Amino acid sequence: MKKNWKKNSSTFLAMLLTAGMLSGCGATSSNTNESTNNNQMISEASDAIESGDTADSSDDANESINVYIGGTIFDESMDPIKGFMCYGYPLVNEALLQVNANSEYVGSLASNWSVSDDALTHTYELNKDIHFSDGSDFTAEDVVFTYQQVMDNPGLNENVDLSKLASVTAVNDYTVEFKLSEAYSPFVDTTAMLQIVPSDAYSSETFDTTPIGTGAYKVVQYDANQQIILQINENYHGAQPDIEQVNIISMDQDTAYSNAVSGQMDVVMVSSTYINENIDGMSLEKLETMDVRNISLPTLKPQTMKDSAGTEYQVGNEVTSDIAVRKALAIGIDRQTIINNAFNGEGVPSVNFTDNLVWANTENYEDNKVDEANALLEEAGWVDTDNDGIREKDGVKCAFSIIAPGSDEDRYKLATALAENAKALGIEITVRNESWDVAEAEENTTPIVWGWGQFSPTVIYSLYHSDMFLEAQYANVSGFTNKQVDQAIEKAISASSIEDANNAWKEAQKMGEQEYPYLFLVNIEHSYFVKDGLNISVDTQIPHPHGHGSPIICNLKDWTLNE
C-alpha cells in the first residue's frame, strides 16, 4: 500500500439540474417548458452557491461557471481504463505526456522519456511529489497498474491499443520501463493518451462516474445525462486553478443557446448555424482544430472481394475509380465557396489531412482550377455528349451519390455544397442522408463524408495501408493500394526516433494524396460563445481533435474569471 499523504473530504452537494434534461437537437415549441425549467434549475444552483452550500473554496478562486460542451462527454464512462479523455485533455486524470499548443508532446506525469536504439524499450522518468485527489502518492506502481489493466482488458478500451506492449515494469518508484514485442513508434502517442489511475483506489464501477486522478479538477457529482460538477483538486501539483467549480450541463444545443441568451450560461458550444448571431455579454470564439472533413472516393472498379477470413464484399465505384475524376474534383472545386455556403465561412480550406501536426504533410495545391479540371476530364474521355450538363464515358454518367451519415446536419450541408460546386465540372452528385448502419454497409462502394482528427499518426495507417482494406470498420474504405505507401508507413512505425517516424509519415501521405483516395475539404473550426470576463486561455488551447464540444476544456486549469 502507498503512503496516504493527505486526506480531505468535500461536503459539496448542489443540484444544478433535475431529471428531464433535453437530448438530441432541433428546437420545437415543446421545448419551451423544459427550457424554462432548465433556467430555473440553473438559477437555483447559483443561489445555492451564493448561500455557501459548496465545498471549501479558496479566497482567491472564483466560484462557479456553467458550460455546455455537447453531450458526448455523457455518452461514456469517465474511467481512463475504458478510454475516457484519451485525446490530450488532462482534466481529472493525467497521462505520462501531454500535448501542448504547438501539437508537440511534453512531459506531464513524466519528466523525461527515452527510446532504445532497437526501439523496443521505452523508459519514462516520473515527476515526484505528485498526489492523487484522495491524497495518495503517485508512483510507478500506478503506471504499471493502469497499463496492465488495459492490457488485461483490451475490450474495454477501443481508443488505446497496447497490442505491441509485451511488459511494463516499475524499475523504481519513479522509473517505468515499457518493453515492446516489436518496434512501434506510435507507442509514444499512446503514453499521451492513456491517463493514470491510482492502483490502491481503482474501482471499475466507481470510476465510471467519480474517477480519482492527479489533474487540476476532481468530480464531485455526476448525474447521468444531466450534469457533471467539477471542483478544484486541492492536492493538485500545479498552480491552483482560478475557477473553483465548473458545471458541465447536458442539454440540446438550441436550449443551451437560449440559456446563453438569457444570461444563464458561461460557455456554449454552437454549430455554424449560430456563428453570425450576437449574444449580449458574450463573444464568439473560433478555435483551431485538426478536425478534417473529407469524402472517401473508392479507387477500385466494381467487383467482389474477400477479406482475410473469406467473407465476400461488394467493393468499388464505376465513376470514382477513375483517377481523372478524383483529381478533377480535388483541383476543380472551390473549397472556400463550399465552406461559405455550408458553414457560413467557418473553417479553413484543406487539401490534405491537416497542417498543424508535426507528422502531417503540409504541401498544398491550388483549387478552383475549373478549366484545368475540365480539360483533364475531357482527356480521360468524360464528355457531355447529350448536353444535359453531366459528362459520360462509355455509356456511364459521371454521377455518383455521397452519404452524409447519421444526424449530423453539418456533414449534409457540406456534401450539398460540394454537389452544387461540382456541377461546373459536369459531375452530378446526389446527397443521401443515411444512418451509420447504411454507411457502414456501403463504405467500400459509396463516397461518404468523414470526420478525422487525432494527435496519433496511426490514422494514416488506417486510411492508407493496403492491409487495412476490408479488415476493419472505417479503415481504408477507398480500397487504396500502393506498395510504396505501405513501405513508408511501415518505416514510420518501426522508426527509433520521432524525427525519422515523422518524415516517413509525411512521405506516405505525400505519395498517397497524389492518387486522391480522399477528397479533403475543410479543417473545421470549433465555435463557442464565451461570457465576457471569462478567459478560456486561447494561447494554451491545443488544436482540437475530431469531435466538437469537449476539446475546449483541454486547458480548463488555465481559465480565469474576472467579474
Side-chain angles (χ1 to χ4, degrees), residues 98-107 113 356-358 455 542-543:
Q98 65 181 2
V99 179
N100 67 14
N102 296 319
S103 301
E104 301 165 331
Y105 290 133
V106 295
W113 63 99
N356 51 13
L357 289 171
V358 293
F455 292 100
I542 63 174

Side-chain angles (χ1 to χ4, degrees), residues 35-74:
S35 179
T36 301
N37 290 337
N38 291 341
N39 293 341
Q40 180 180 353
M41 288 180 282
I42 293 171
S43 177
E44 289 172 352
S46 299
D47 291 342
I49 292 166
E50 290 173 2
S51 67
D53 294 336
T54 65
D56 295 337
S57 62
S58 167
D59 292 338
D60 297 326
N62 287 290
E63 288 187 314
S64 181
I65 60 172
N66 300 324
V67 305
Y68 166 72
I69 54 175
T72 57
I73 195 170
F74 293 90

Side-chain angles (χ1 to χ4, degrees), residues 247-286:
N247 308 309
I248 303 174
I249 304 171
S250 177
M251 59 179 70
D252 71 66
Q253 184 174 139
D254 295 326
T255 302
Y257 178 82
S258 296
N259 282 329
V261 170
S262 63
Q264 305 291 326
M265 303 296 292
D266 298 281
V267 175
V268 171
M269 176 199 84
V270 293
S271 68
S272 59
T273 302
Y274 287 99
I275 64 172
N276 291 327
E277 301 294 329
N278 293 304
I279 300 179
D280 289 341
M282 302 189 83
S283 300
L284 185 71
E285 291 281 2
K286 295 183 179 181

Side-chain angles (χ1 to χ4, degrees), residues 60-62 216-217 232-233 236 238-244 556-559:
D60 297 326
N62 287 290
Y217 283 89
I232 291 174
N233 169 16
Y236 180 54
Q240 289 282 292
D242 180 63
I243 301 171
E244 168 68 22
L556 186 60
K557 64 182 178 62
D558 298 330
W559 292 15

Side-chain angles (χ1 to χ4, degrees), residues 270-310:
V270 293
S271 68
S272 59
T273 302
Y274 287 99
I275 64 172
N276 291 327
E277 301 294 329
N278 293 304
I279 300 179
D280 289 341
M282 302 189 83
S283 300
L284 185 71
E285 291 281 2
K286 295 183 179 181
L287 301 180
E288 177 187 9
T289 79
M290 62 184 73
D291 198 349
V292 182
R293 295 292 178 270
N294 62 84
I295 314 289
S296 54
L297 299 176
T299 61
L300 301 172
K301 286 284 189 180
Q303 58 189 287
T304 301
M305 296 184 70
K306 296 180 179 180
D307 64 12
S308 58

